[in-house]
Amino acid sequence: MVWSGADRYRNATRRKWVVDGELAGYVRSVDNLSDVLVRNAGHMVPTDQPKWAFELFNNFVHNPENFVNPKLEKANAPVDIYDIREIGEPGLSFDEALARFKAMMQGGGEEGAEGAGLEAKQRAVCRDLEATFGHLLPGVQAKLFGSSQIGLRLKDSDTDIFMDCPSGQPQRNFVQKYGSLMFDNKYFEKVVKIATARVPIVTFNHVETGLLCDVTFLNKLGLKNSEMLKFLLSLDPRIRNLALIVKYWAKVHELSGIGNFSNYALTFMVVFYLQQLDEPLVPSVYLLQQLADRKEVCENWECSFCSDVSKLPKITNKSTTKELLWGFFDYWARFDYDRYVAVPLLGRTIKKADFKDFENLPDELERYKRHAREVEVQLEAEKALNETKKQEQKAKNKNQRSKLSWYEKNHVLNVDLPVCIQDAFDLSYNIARMIRPPLLVRFQWLCEYARDEVLTNEEGGKVLLDVFLPPLVKPPEAVSQEFTNQKDVYMDQFHIPGVNPEEERYKAVWYIVVRLSVVYILTHVYCFELEMDDSNESKAIMSSEKFDSTDRVYRTVCMKMKGASAVFERRNAAKKRLVLSSDAFNNDCIVSRESINFLKHSAPKNYRGGDMDKIMGYFTMKIRFFCFPDEQRPRLMLQFINCKSQYFNVVTAGLTGLLCSSFQRGMTKCISENDLPIAEYLKSGGGDWNDLARYFEEFVKDCNEKSRKLCDDPKFAIVYQKAK
């Protein structure tokens, strides 16, 4: 479409559209044009998703600005460096420019009139939250944490609030069950429940004050961490100054925000760097715990710390803020992320390999070692339950299975991710878990640029502005090119033959059988090779899901697939050459193998390997199976991902046609040929599918093997028609 905003529309960010806490779809807007994609809906949106359709039309007519969650809108919004241009005024020293920067970013500081006004607004938000939930949580107190608590709040930062309950914090599902109390409430607007996050929260706008806020009921350790960070940043003004500069630097260079570096992680990176100096500005957290007057434990982790400055070693470091900023960029640009874990508790690094064999960790981490032993015992117990073969023992153990969600279970520190920074209190938590390799490359590149091209070569106040300005050379992209091509196919119109949909476990069986059938069809009909995908991206997807041990049938399955795109071409010509039976599924298998053989034997003999690859159209891609167990009817999303192969569109178009037309036939064949234990699972919920992950992996290997030997079966013999 030709119009004045076409270029801006092409470059606009696609954002999430949330209705009553549910992800309804995605929206891209420029001026008065909005393009909305509604999830899980065909061309009859009001029929497929009536609630979301009503909200869609209502927003278009009355509230077009409501398409975007305000938190996500702000997180995705670009930063206008023009707002701080005055810090680069000629003649200013670095310290003078820094003072101006702080005044612009924080509105004159917490001590000024703006700070007092903000405190009054925050007290009003806390008052209304306490009034809303007080009848459910007697004596509850709303307490600030995060950037508002530690003194790193920027003008546009949201306000983080923890609801502290004297009688004990509520269960994890509290946000899911009672967060809706904020929907039809005079105090709040634009309310969004995020109940499946690691720490469930509710985001909202406060009507009276206009503040954008997050409220949580579970994260008491977050409150304790904020108290400790506030103390650490108060030890020397240079510490808070450095943390504020780094926070804004990461924001303007699109390193922080949702899915990137969290501000919490960046603050601890500043703290950890300052612990590494020859004359440290920040002591180790372990020292603070040893000097504490009383021990305090929260969520099984020690969170006490000494807040008496007189007990701490005196600060002798005389470095300027500029020199410390140079050192921060230098330290993290050269850090060996592959080998080491940053451990703020001890104020030093530890090899990742030592966490694998946790008994070799230093004595200061004894609490973590005890935790790791408990996790080991827990995993062994679950493995013993899953490997039980006797039916009577399964029945006996059925009620002993853990009912805890993934987040409520114990886990060891995940050191397999690209960046590992151990939390200072929760020693099993990697606060840099969201960082992916492309973002890490961009982060290191920008650190090197700031160190070498800005801080080394420039003087005066302008250097601070130049740290925030875009580099003269374009930095690496933060988004992985691995996910350039993506095709999502939704599957929900199929049924399991011979099974009543009213059965209690029908939905679970449906998800299992459909995924197994897709594997069976891809290997048999199209001769594709499949294997489980154990990449870091796949591990992160599976480890972030909320399903507990009784719901593992709904876990995302990630796989790799390779094959020849030529199987989708010249199929009609192949059918004319062959003698085929009345079994359509067997015919499709035969046609694919004949097409491959025909191309291989018809190619000129002098063709080299690379030429043959082009003829066959060999490709490799990833496929993922996403389940939606909370929906009324079973629905599966099959996602194809690939960036390198030029045959991606050919393959996905062919497979989409198959999954829309003849999948029911393939599923029936899969069930009959593989003796799937459907009846047993419907009856007891166990059997061979008790350990579904292992069953699925073995099923994939078995399908690959059977597919290779398929031509040896007389039923799949390639028989040509006689020439006329």
PDB file of all heavy atoms in Angstrom, residues 14 17 24-28 35-39 41 56:
ATOM      1  N   ARG A  14       6.338  -5.213  16.068  1.00  0.00           N
ATOM      2  CA  ARG A  14       5.111  -5.940  16.369  1.00  0.00           C
ATOM      3  C   ARG A  14       5.045  -6.178  17.867  1.00  0.00           C
ATOM      4  O   ARG A  14       5.960  -6.755  18.437  1.00  0.00           O
ATOM      5  CB  ARG A  14       5.068  -7.270  15.615  1.00  0.00           C
ATOM      6  CG  ARG A  14       3.714  -7.944  15.679  1.00  0.00           C
ATOM      7  CD  ARG A  14       3.705  -9.240  14.912  1.00  0.00           C
ATOM      8  NE  ARG A  14       4.331 -10.318  15.665  1.00  0.00           N
ATOM      9  CZ  ARG A  14       4.141 -11.606  15.418  1.00  0.00           C
ATOM     10  NH1 ARG A  14       3.363 -11.977  14.429  1.00  0.00           N
ATOM     11  NH2 ARG A  14       4.746 -12.521  16.124  1.00  0.00           N
ATOM     12  N   TRP A  17      -0.674  -7.938  22.168  1.00  0.00           N
ATOM     13  CA  TRP A  17      -1.995  -7.404  22.496  1.00  0.00           C
ATOM     14  C   TRP A  17      -2.600  -8.329  23.547  1.00  0.00           C
ATOM     15  O   TRP A  17      -2.769  -9.520  23.299  1.00  0.00           O
ATOM     16  CB  TRP A  17      -2.859  -7.335  21.234  1.00  0.00           C
ATOM     17  CG  TRP A  17      -4.302  -7.001  21.494  1.00  0.00           C
ATOM     18  CD1 TRP A  17      -4.781  -6.056  22.351  1.00  0.00           C
ATOM     19  CD2 TRP A  17      -5.445  -7.615  20.889  1.00  0.00           C
ATOM     20  NE1 TRP A  17      -6.149  -6.036  22.321  1.00  0.00           N
ATOM     21  CE2 TRP A  17      -6.590  -6.981  21.431  1.00  0.00           C
ATOM     22  CE3 TRP A  17      -5.602  -8.618  19.947  1.00  0.00           C
ATOM     23  CZ2 TRP A  17      -7.873  -7.344  21.051  1.00  0.00           C
ATOM     24  CZ3 TRP A  17      -6.881  -8.970  19.575  1.00  0.00           C
ATOM     25  CH2 TRP A  17      -8.005  -8.337  20.109  1.00  0.00           C
ATOM     26  N   ALA A  24      -3.823 -12.169  23.427  1.00  0.00           N
ATOM     27  CA  ALA A  24      -4.848 -12.310  22.394  1.00  0.00           C
ATOM     28  C   ALA A  24      -4.256 -12.253  20.993  1.00  0.00           C
ATOM     29  O   ALA A  24      -4.853 -12.769  20.043  1.00  0.00           O
ATOM     30  CB  ALA A  24      -5.905 -11.223  22.552  1.00  0.00           C
ATOM     31  N   GLY A  25      -3.103 -11.626  20.843  1.00  0.00           N
ATOM     32  CA  GLY A  25      -2.505 -11.519  19.515  1.00  0.00           C
ATOM     33  C   GLY A  25      -1.396 -10.501  19.498  1.00  0.00           C
ATOM     34  O   GLY A  25      -0.792 -10.187  20.529  1.00  0.00           O
ATOM     35  N   TYR A  26      -1.159  -9.944  18.312  1.00  0.00           N
ATOM     36  CA  TYR A  26      -0.069  -8.998  18.134  1.00  0.00           C
ATOM     37  C   TYR A  26      -0.565  -7.820  17.289  1.00  0.00           C
ATOM     38  O   TYR A  26      -1.427  -7.988  16.421  1.00  0.00           O
ATOM     39  CB  TYR A  26       1.125  -9.657  17.444  1.00  0.00           C
ATOM     40  CG  TYR A  26       1.659 -10.848  18.204  1.00  0.00           C
ATOM     41  CD1 TYR A  26       1.154 -12.127  17.988  1.00  0.00           C
ATOM     42  CD2 TYR A  26       2.653 -10.690  19.165  1.00  0.00           C
ATOM     43  CE1 TYR A  26       1.636 -13.222  18.704  1.00  0.00           C
ATOM     44  CE2 TYR A  26       3.139 -11.769  19.883  1.00  0.00           C
ATOM     45  CZ  TYR A  26       2.628 -13.038  19.645  1.00  0.00           C
ATOM     46  OH  TYR A  26       3.093 -14.105  20.356  1.00  0.00           O
ATOM     47  N   VAL A  27      -0.009  -6.646  17.547  1.00  0.00           N
ATOM     48  CA  VAL A  27      -0.455  -5.442  16.839  1.00  0.00           C
ATOM     49  C   VAL A  27       0.760  -4.639  16.393  1.00  0.00           C
ATOM     50  O   VAL A  27       1.776  -4.574  17.082  1.00  0.00           O
ATOM     51  CB  VAL A  27      -1.377  -4.583  17.738  1.00  0.00           C
ATOM     52  CG1 VAL A  27      -0.649  -4.143  18.995  1.00  0.00           C
ATOM     53  CG2 VAL A  27      -1.891  -3.369  16.984  1.00  0.00           C
ATOM     54  N   ARG A  28       0.631  -4.074  15.201  1.00  0.00           N
ATOM     55  CA  ARG A  28       1.647  -3.152  14.679  1.00  0.00           C
ATOM     56  C   ARG A  28       0.928  -1.899  14.233  1.00  0.00           C
ATOM     57  O   ARG A  28      -0.016  -1.968  13.431  1.00  0.00           O
ATOM     58  CB  ARG A  28       2.408  -3.807  13.528  1.00  0.00           C
ATOM     59  CG  ARG A  28       3.487  -2.927  12.957  1.00  0.00           C
ATOM     60  CD  ARG A  28       4.491  -3.697  12.133  1.00  0.00           C
ATOM     61  NE  ARG A  28       3.883  -4.469  11.061  1.00  0.00           N
ATOM     62  CZ  ARG A  28       4.583  -5.120  10.125  1.00  0.00           C
ATOM     63  NH1 ARG A  28       5.885  -5.080  10.163  1.00  0.00           N
ATOM     64  NH2 ARG A  28       3.975  -5.805   9.201  1.00  0.00           N
ATOM     65  N   ASP A  35      -2.525  -2.885  12.435  1.00  0.00           N
ATOM     66  CA  ASP A  35      -2.628  -4.233  11.878  1.00  0.00           C
ATOM     67  C   ASP A  35      -2.615  -5.206  13.044  1.00  0.00           C
ATOM     68  O   ASP A  35      -1.622  -5.302  13.766  1.00  0.00           O
ATOM     69  CB  ASP A  35      -1.451  -4.486  10.938  1.00  0.00           C
ATOM     70  CG  ASP A  35      -1.429  -5.908  10.393  1.00  0.00           C
ATOM     71  OD1 ASP A  35      -2.485  -6.579  10.461  1.00  0.00           O
ATOM     72  OD2 ASP A  35      -0.372  -6.353   9.915  1.00  0.00           O
ATOM     73  N   VAL A  36      -3.720  -5.931  13.259  1.00  0.00           N
ATOM     74  CA  VAL A  36      -3.864  -6.804  14.424  1.00  0.00           C
ATOM     75  C   VAL A  36      -3.944  -8.252  13.965  1.00  0.00           C
ATOM     76  O   VAL A  36      -4.764  -8.598  13.106  1.00  0.00           O
ATOM     77  CB  VAL A  36      -5.113  -6.443  15.244  1.00  0.00           C
ATOM     78  CG1 VAL A  36      -5.215  -7.351  16.472  1.00  0.00           C
ATOM     79  CG2 VAL A  36      -5.066  -4.988  15.674  1.00  0.00           C
ATOM     80  N   LEU A  37      -3.092  -9.094  14.539  1.00  0.00           N
ATOM     81  CA  LEU A  37      -3.135 -10.534  14.320  1.00  0.00           C
ATOM     82  C   LEU A  37      -3.767 -11.172  15.550  1.00  0.00           C
ATOM     83  O   LEU A  37      -3.261 -11.033  16.663  1.00  0.00           O
ATOM     84  CB  LEU A  37      -1.727 -11.083  14.111  1.00  0.00           C
ATOM     85  CG  LEU A  37      -1.591 -12.614  14.090  1.00  0.00           C
ATOM     86  CD1 LEU A  37      -2.300 -13.196  12.875  1.00  0.00           C
ATOM     87  CD2 LEU A  37      -0.120 -13.023  14.094  1.00  0.00           C
ATOM     88  N   VAL A  38      -4.877 -11.885  15.369  1.00  0.00           N
ATOM     89  CA  VAL A  38      -5.576 -12.533  16.474  1.00  0.00           C
ATOM     90  C   VAL A  38      -5.121 -13.982  16.553  1.00  0.00           C
ATOM     91  O   VAL A  38      -5.191 -14.716  15.561  1.00  0.00           O
ATOM     92  CB  VAL A  38      -7.107 -12.459  16.286  1.00  0.00           C
ATOM     93  CG1 VAL A  38      -7.816 -13.101  17.472  1.00  0.00           C
ATOM     94  CG2 VAL A  38      -7.545 -11.011  16.129  1.00  0.00           C
ATOM     95  N   ARG A  39      -4.674 -14.401  17.728  1.00  0.00           N
ATOM     96  CA  ARG A  39      -4.174 -15.768  17.904  1.00  0.00           C
ATOM     97  C   ARG A  39      -5.292 -16.792  17.780  1.00  0.00           C
ATOM     98  O   ARG A  39      -6.422 -16.565  18.181  1.00  0.00           O
ATOM     99  CB  ARG A  39      -3.527 -15.924  19.290  1.00  0.00           C
ATOM    100  CG  ARG A  39      -2.205 -15.260  19.452  1.00  0.00           C
ATOM    101  CD  ARG A  39      -1.627 -15.487  20.841  1.00  0.00           C
ATOM    102  NE  ARG A  39      -1.370 -16.891  21.096  1.00  0.00           N
ATOM    103  CZ  ARG A  39      -1.945 -17.568  22.076  1.00  0.00           C
ATOM    104  NH1 ARG A  39      -2.823 -17.008  22.866  1.00  0.00           N
ATOM    105  NH2 ARG A  39      -1.649 -18.843  22.256  1.00  0.00           N
ATOM    106  N   ALA A  41      -7.148 -18.063  15.455  1.00  0.00           N
ATOM    107  CA  ALA A  41      -8.393 -17.705  14.782  1.00  0.00           C
ATOM    108  C   ALA A  41      -8.195 -17.762  13.275  1.00  0.00           C
ATOM    109  O   ALA A  41      -7.103 -17.462  12.774  1.00  0.00           O
ATOM    110  CB  ALA A  41      -8.860 -16.311  15.200  1.00  0.00           C
ATOM    111  N   LEU A  56     -11.595  -6.346  20.147  1.00  0.00           N
ATOM    112  CA  LEU A  56     -10.956  -5.778  18.958  1.00  0.00           C
ATOM    113  C   LEU A  56     -11.785  -4.632  18.383  1.00  0.00           C
ATOM    114  O   LEU A  56     -11.294  -3.511  18.185  1.00  0.00           O
ATOM    115  CB  LEU A  56     -10.760  -6.881  17.918  1.00  0.00           C
ATOM    116  CG  LEU A  56     -10.179  -6.481  16.564  1.00  0.00           C
ATOM    117  CD1 LEU A  56      -8.706  -6.144  16.708  1.00  0.00           C
ATOM    118  CD2 LEU A  56     -10.354  -7.605  15.555  1.00  0.00           C
TER     119      LEU A  56
END
